[in-house]
Amino acid sequence: MLVGRERELATALAACRDAAEGRGSVLVVAGEPGIGKTALLETAGAMDRRCEVLRASGVEAESTVAFATLQALLWPLRNRLDELETGQARLVKSVLDLGPLVEATTFAVGAATLALLSVASRDQPIVVILDDAHWADVASQEVLCFVGRRLDSERVAVLAGVREGELCLLADERSFKHLQLIGLGTLDARSLLERSSPDVLAPSVVDLLLDACGGNPLGLVELPLLLTQAQRRGEAPLPGRIEAGPLVQRAFAARASRLDPEGWAALLLLAASGEADAALLLRVGVRPDAIDALDSSGLVDRRHGMLAFRHPLVQSAVYTAATPDERRKAHRMLASAMEGPRRAWHLAEAAVGPDESVAKALEVAAEDARLVGGRAAEAQALERAAELTPEHEQQARRLLGAAQAWRRAGRIEHANAIVERALPLAATARTRAEIQLERGSTLVREYEPDTSLDLLLAEADRAAPAEPKLAAQMLVKAAVAAHISADAPAAIALAERACMLAGRDGDRAELEAVNALVEVRTAAGVPPDEQDFALVARAAELLEHPELRTGSEEVHWISYCLALHERDEQARRFSDRSLAETRAAGDVWNLCYALYARAAIELVGGRIDVARTYVSEGVALAEQIGEPWRLSEAYGLLAETEAARGSLEECKRAVESKFEHYSRDPSK
């Protein structure tokens, strides 16, 4: 029975009750380690007997494996897959490793997951309990955020526990309800402490432990067990300094140390994997009696056939107590029994230095993650691969790939930091130029036109003799920088030079150059003529090739330009296709642009309310990413939309938000 959590438990039970009545929701429970998140979630799930409970815990060791947490959550529903539409069933089977790998995205996986939960909840309401959500892989977090925002009419509740101060998409989602757990009050803390002690505590000992724990329930339960009987009675001195966190971990480690060497090795294997079934431990050589010893240790629980630590601090205590050599050995043993991304990551944890074979395995894992839309998992794998790469040129290229994947995943600041790390490692002119193009593009988006213009022009001059198409791409970004500086003639001249260097080979360099010339001429207010439409038509022709649309921003602008040239039907067809493909690619960064480009098309056609729907979603995504360029563009179009609706106050607020993000210089 929980002590002192009546109000918090009532909140969690209300979410379960609402789900049973068709009003699904997400409740994020946050707090420090040991504060009682796990106990609250489990108690709520056990008390509402109307609901089927799906459980999973984020596992730190698998936080880099795309959809690892989602796989654990959905596994009990695998017998319901035949009730889904065929394509969605194939997709979920791919996530669950029950079928071949299907190229997909977090958006598509999110829709399939929502459909599966909806089907399963027809018979019985579902409560999804996700503990340690901050350790769930990012792809799973993205899917659960997608699902959570669409539960209003579903019989599904998601209860997620998050450690305070840790990064977590569910905790950052402002539309979800949040519940903050704090320490127990003095009376409740005293009651729990006295219940937890195996014998009577002396008053002086009670006061000292209450002060040390600060109301932390796990400390109140575990600390009395760390003391001797004489210390609990006040007949022997207590440890010189009592701190709940370190001592609780030490208590768990002390219990683990009572196992024989084989039991300890099995426990460390479990700590390195996060959770495992007995079959996995048997495959790596653990004997059945050692597995039985884990069951009886009081440190491990069995959940749906899986062995898992009863609290994250137990795992941390065991893993920390092991030597580096012991930890590496555990990861090597686990890698020998696994395949795919999990094997690659365990090999990475076992590495003692640069290892190209492991780096290549991580590169394969990154490609697998990209195929299923796990952009963050792709980025994590490439970043770790770079760390294990012995040769500088290859390391620079992997870092560049990681930075680009992080940007697509919406982690802009981290992407920028990785690009800076890559530059001094580049050994060839081409790699250096590609890195400088990424850096210059970032500076443009951060509204630093002078700095970006200098960098891009210098690098374009350097690259032009050997790499004219790459130089053209640099001049495209330089033209945008000149446009930001309100130098229309320079912007047009740079875009024209980019077109000359790119040539007419029907490739991405030509597409980017043609698009840039259309963009800067339109923005400069040059009266549209036959040349402009010829440029738009050429870009549209190029964009019929799928390989040129992949990851392309140009398709969104050209869709809008078609509307400006009164090709409304073609504009909407282009936009529909680009939105679908961008969502399918899991490209959040590019989706922002696709949404407000579509909103602009609707404005041109006079469909103001439809425009507002598109731009509102674009603003929400831009806020999630936090990049000034995306935010400024989104709020600018929102201002236009509100003005068209006659909502002058809303327009004013949007304009203020636009210029808040337009420049770090508040005078602009």
Side-chain angles (χ1 to χ4, degrees):
M1 179 66 185
L2 291 179
V3 175
R5 296 295 191 204
E6 292 78 11
R7 180 185 63 82
E8 294 88 347
L9 181 58
T11 299
L13 288 172
C16 300
R17 183 180 61 250
D18 287 347
E21 296 172 359
R23 299 189 302 275
S25 63
V26 177
L27 176 64
V28 178
V29 181
E32 66 182 27
I35 203 65
K37 302 182 293 296
T38 301
L40 178 68
L41 298 179
E42 288 297 330
T43 302
M47 288 183 67
D48 196 321
R49 299 184 183 277
R50 295 172 297 177
C51 299
E52 178 183 2
V53 179
L54 303 178
R55 292 179 175 84
S57 293
V59 178
E60 189 174 15
E62 296 198 339
S63 62
T64 51
V65 179
F67 301 120
T69 304
L70 188 67
Q71 186 181 73
L73 273 177
L74 298 185
W75 185 253
L77 302 181
R78 61 193 181 279
N79 294 330
R80 307 295 297 264
L81 293 177
D82 291 341
E83 299 174 54
L84 296 182
E85 177 268 331
T86 303
Q88 289 185 325
R90 279 202 304 267
L91 190 51
V92 178
K93 286 179 180 178
S94 174
V95 169
L96 296 178
D97 289 335
L98 295 174
L101 183 67
V102 176
E103 186 168 353
T105 69
T106 50
F107 289 100
V109 175
T113 299
L114 181 60
L116 179 59
L117 292 172
S118 182
V119 164
S121 64
R122 291 173 190 163
D123 301 335
Q124 187 179 9
I126 288 177
V127 174
V128 173
I129 294 179
L130 176 57
D131 204 3
D132 291 326
H134 50 280
W135 281 337
D137 62 279
V138 177
S140 293
Q141 291 185 41
E142 288 176 340
V143 166
L144 290 171
C145 283
F146 177 98
V147 169
R149 289 190 289 267
R150 293 162 175 82
L151 290 178
D152 291 351
S153 302
E154 301 291 346
R155 293 178 5 121
V156 178
V158 177
L159 309 181
V162 177
R163 183 176 294 183
E164 189 174 4
E166 297 282 354
L167 292 173
C168 180
L169 296 181
L170 283 92
D172 292 340
E173 175 58 57
R174 286 174 289 181
S175 63
F176 296 161
K177 187 172 182 179
H178 289 67
L179 177 63
Q180 185 73 32
L181 292 190
I182 60 174
L184 298 176
T186 302
L187 292 179
D188 289 325
R190 185 181 295 273
S191 172
L192 181 59
L193 181 63
E194 291 173 347
R195 289 187 193 185
S196 304
S197 178
D199 46 32
V200 176
L201 295 169
S204 60
V205 175
V206 169
D207 291 341
L208 187 61
L209 294 181
L210 287 175
D211 184 60
C213 292
N216 185 290
L218 188 63
L220 293 165
V221 169
E222 295 293 338
L223 285 187
L225 304 178
L226 186 64
L227 304 179
T228 65
Q229 186 179 61
Q231 287 174 326
R232 289 193 291 269
R233 292 176 177 174
E235 298 168 357
L238 298 177
R241 185 181 178 189
I242 295 181
E243 297 176 7
L247 278 185
V248 168
Q249 284 210 358
R250 218 165 73 202
F252 287 137
R255 272 195 238 173
S257 68
R258 299 185 191 124
L259 294 168
D260 62 26
E262 191 172 1
W264 163 253
L267 197 64
L268 178 55
L269 282 167
L270 190 60
S273 65
E275 64 177 15
D277 59 11
L280 172 63
L281 296 180
L282 290 170
R283 283 203 304 275
V284 297
V286 178
R287 293 192 309 171
D289 55 345
I291 297 174
D292 293 339
L294 297 187
D295 273 330
S296 59
S297 68
L299 301 171
V300 172
D301 290 331
R302 279 188 188 258
R303 303 170 190 164
H304 304 291
M306 301 294 288
L307 291 164
F309 289 100
R310 71 178 185 85
H311 194 280
L313 289 180
V314 184
Q315 180 183 356
S316 175
V318 171
Y319 197 77
T320 303
T323 67
D325 282 344
E326 287 175 326
R327 292 197 288 266
R328 285 192 289 269
K329 180 181 178 182
H331 285 294
R332 279 195 298 272
M333 292 175 68
L334 290 168
S336 70
M338 293 182 175
E339 297 178 350
R342 286 182 172 86
R343 175 180 178 275
W345 279 105
H346 281 297
L347 287 174
E349 291 299 316
V352 294
D355 188 323
E356 180 60 21
S357 65
V358 178
K360 285 181 178 176
L362 285 169
E363 205 166 37
V364 172
E367 177 61 15
D368 287 347
R370 187 191 64 77
L371 288 175
V372 295
R375 290 286 186 173
E378 174 194 3
Q380 288 170 314
L382 287 172
E383 188 174 354
R384 181 64 173 130
E387 292 172 1
L388 294 172
T389 302
E391 195 263 322
H392 282 181
E393 169 71 5
Q394 182 71 304
Q395 187 179 10
R397 298 204 64 81
R398 285 170 175 157
L399 284 173
L400 176 59
Q404 291 167 336
W406 277 125
R407 175 165 55 81
R408 297 293 182 185
R411 293 279 300 278
I412 307 301
E413 288 188 8
H414 190 58
N416 294 347
I418 292 176
V419 168
E420 295 301 322
R421 286 166 48 197
L423 183 60
L425 298 170
T428 66
R430 181 169 183 84
T431 298
R432 173 187 166 82
E434 289 180 355
I435 293 170
Q436 291 290 57
L437 175 58
E438 183 72 17
R439 291 180 74 232
S441 301
T442 298
L443 290 169
V444 171
R445 293 191 299 269
E446 291 180 346
Y447 291 111
E448 297 187 17
D450 294 340
T451 305
S452 60
L453 196 58
D454 290 344
L455 184 153
L456 290 164
L457 289 178
E459 290 296 330
D461 288 341
R462 180 180 298 175
E467 301 284 352
K469 291 184 179 293
L470 191 53
Q473 291 176 295
M474 292 180 180
L475 291 174
V476 165
K477 300 301 181 184
V480 177
H483 162 61
I484 294 173
S485 297
D487 190 346
I492 293 172
L494 287 168
E496 289 174 340
R497 185 180 165 204
C499 287
M500 290 178 59
L501 283 172
R504 288 183 60 88
D505 296 326
D507 55 14
R508 182 171 292 279
E510 183 193 354
L511 171 63
E512 291 181 11
V514 169
N515 180 78
L517 186 53
V518 173
E519 187 171 350
V520 296
R521 282 176 60 87
T522 303
V526 176
D529 55 23
E530 291 184 5
Q531 178 191 357
D532 290 287
F533 182 69
L535 289 167
V536 172
R538 175 59 178 165
E541 179 186 353
L542 292 171
L543 287 165
E544 291 297 342
H545 299 283
E547 68 275 11
L548 294 184
R549 292 198 305 272
T550 302
S552 165
E553 291 182 69
E554 293 77 23
V555 63
H556 315 310
W557 174 257
I558 294 303
S559 299
Y560 170 60
C561 288
L562 287 167
L564 290 180
H565 286 275
E566 300 182 354
R567 300 305 199 271
D568 188 70
E569 183 179 345
Q570 189 181 9
R572 291 165 68 81
R573 179 174 64 83
F574 260 60
S575 179
D576 285 341
R577 184 176 62 188
S578 72
L579 275 167
E581 291 177 345
T582 306
R583 288 187 193 277
D587 190 344
V588 178
W589 183 82
N590 205 6
L591 181 59
C592 291
Y593 194 8
L595 286 165
Y596 50 74
R598 179 54 176 268
I601 291 170
E602 300 297 346
L603 276 182
V604 170
R607 296 174 288 269
I608 299 170
D609 289 338
V610 179
R612 191 173 190 273
T613 299
Y614 280 109
V615 76
S616 296
E617 185 182 354
V619 167
L621 279 179
E623 288 281 6
Q624 177 182 320
I625 293 172
E627 184 182 68
W629 177 273
R630 286 290 185 253
L631 283 163
S632 176
E633 289 178 316
Y635 276 113
L637 193 60
L638 180 61
E640 289 183 43
T641 306
E642 296 295 357
R645 295 176 69 239
S647 304
L648 298 184
E649 284 301 315
E650 294 295 330
C651 174
K652 180 181 177 182
R653 278 194 284 271
V655 169
E656 290 172 350
S657 295
K658 171 182 173 66
F659 284 101
E660 175 187 344
H661 299 291
Y662 180 74
S663 174
R664 296 191 180 99
D665 181 358
S667 67
K668 290 189 178 180

